[in-house]
Amino acid sequence: MLAGLAGKAMLIAAGAGLGRASYAALERLAPGGRETWTRTNHRGEPVSLLSGPALAISAASSAALGAPAGMRAASLVSGLGAGAVGVYDDIVGQRADQRADKGFAGHLGALREGRVTSGLIKIGGVGLTGLIAAGSVAHGPLDRLVAGGVIAGTANLLNLLDLRPGRALKASVLGGVAGLGGPSGTVVAGPVGASLALLPEDLAEKTMLGDGGANAIGAILGLRLAAAGGPVWRLGALAGLTALTLASEKVSFTKVIEQTPVLREVDALGRRR
C-alpha cells in the first residue's frame, strides 16, 4: 500500500515529523541531566548529543512503519539496537578510564588487560543486532553472517563519516534516496525524512549525532543494502564496506572529501564558514 511514490512521500513526511517530535521531547527532558549530553565539537564549542537518540528513535520507528511485513521487526532491531549501544558508548566512553582506548586496536588491547571498554560493547552490540536483523533477508547461515556484516559495516561507515557538521546526515539522505526504489525502498523512506528534519541543527552546530545516531541510521541503510540483492550481491557489498573500513585506517576521509571538488561542495553546503 505504501510502496508507491505517494506512499513513500507520506513516509518521508512521517519520518520528518517523528524526528522533530523526538528531538523536541529529548531536548525538553534531557534524561540524566543536560551535562550528560553535552560535548565539544571540532571548533571547541559545546553541542548537544540529543539528536543522536532522536534520530535512532524516529528512523527506526518510521522504517518499521514503512517496511514490508517480513522486515518490520528487523528495522526496529537494527535501528534501535545499534542506536542503544552507540548511545551507551557516547556516554560511558567519556569516562576517564575509557577515553584512552580508541579504535579497534585500543579496545582489543584493553580486553587483553582484562578490561571491557564501552567501545567493544558497542562493536559487539552492533554486530549482534545486525546478525539478528539479517535473518529477514538472508538465505542460510553463511549468507546471514554476510548480511549481518553488511548491516554492521554500514553502521560503522556512517559513524566514520560523522566528523563534520551535517556530513553523516547528508550521506544518510543520499544513501536513503538511492535506496527508495523497489518494494524494500519503503524501509528507508521514513529515515530519509528523519535525517532531513534533524539536518538544520546539525549544520548549525547545535547538535551532533554521536555514535548513537550515526550507528542507528547506518544500520537501517545497511538493512536496505542487504535486501537489495541476493547472496552474491551481499558478499560484494560486504567486500566494499570492508575495503572502505580498512582504507579509513590509512586515509583520512576528510582529506579525500576536501580534495574532491564535488564532494567538497556538497559537504560544505549549508555549513557555517
Side-chain angles (χ1 to χ4, degrees):
M1 182 176 68
L2 293 173
L5 185 61
K8 289 173 183 174
M10 290 172 60
L11 287 169
I12 291 172
L18 284 168
R20 295 308 308 174
S22 298
Y23 178 65
L26 287 170
E27 274 291 316
R28 184 173 63 254
L29 297 172
R34 196 158 298 278
E35 66 281 357
T36 301
W37 303 96
T38 301
R39 296 292 181 273
T40 301
N41 68 5
H42 69 290
R43 296 182 193 270
E45 299 173 351
V47 295
S48 168
L49 272 176
L50 285 168
S51 65
L55 181 62
I57 293 167
S58 56
S61 300
S62 58
L65 177 66
M71 294 177 67
R72 287 172 189 159
S75 301
L76 287 173
V77 167
S78 58
L80 293 180
V85 293
V87 167
Y88 175 81
D89 189 35
D90 284 333
I91 295 173
V92 177
Q94 289 298 302
R95 295 177 182 172
D97 62 331
Q98 299 271 340
R99 290 179 184 173
D101 303 311
K102 298 296 182 183
F104 191 65
H107 299 312
L108 287 180
L111 186 62
R112 284 194 293 269
E113 296 172 3
R115 295 184 294 111
V116 178
T117 65
S118 62
L120 193 60
I121 291 173
K122 181 195 73 172
I123 291 169
V126 171
L128 178 60
T129 56
L131 190 61
I132 294 170
S136 66
V137 297
H139 305 288
L142 182 58
D143 188 34
R144 184 167 187 166
L145 281 173
V146 172
V150 171
I151 295 169
T154 310
N156 181 62
L157 182 61
L158 263 291
N159 198 25
L160 292 174
L161 291 175
D162 190 32
L163 295 176
R164 291 294 184 272
R167 182 179 294 172
L169 283 174
K170 288 176 184 176
S172 69
V173 169
L174 292 173
V177 168
L180 281 174
S184 297
T186 51
V187 171
V188 290
V192 166
S195 298
L196 286 170
L198 293 170
L199 186 57
E201 280 81 5
D202 202 313
L203 288 171
E205 301 184 26
K206 296 179 180 178
T207 69
M208 59 190 295
L209 294 183
D211 290 0
N215 282 164
I217 192 69
I220 294 169
L221 290 174
L223 178 64
R224 174 65 185 102
L225 180 61
V232 175
W233 163 266
R234 286 187 279 275
L235 192 60
L238 180 59
L241 289 165
T242 301
L244 285 171
T245 302
L246 292 174
S248 72
E249 298 288 334
K250 303 292 184 181
V251 180
S252 166
F253 285 173
T254 294
K255 284 187 177 180
V256 172
I257 290 169
E258 289 175 349
Q259 292 170 1
T260 308
V262 173
L263 294 178
R264 182 174 65 243
E265 291 303 314
V266 173
D267 189 48
L269 186 66
R271 187 186 297 161
R272 286 171 54 191
R273 299 291 182 174

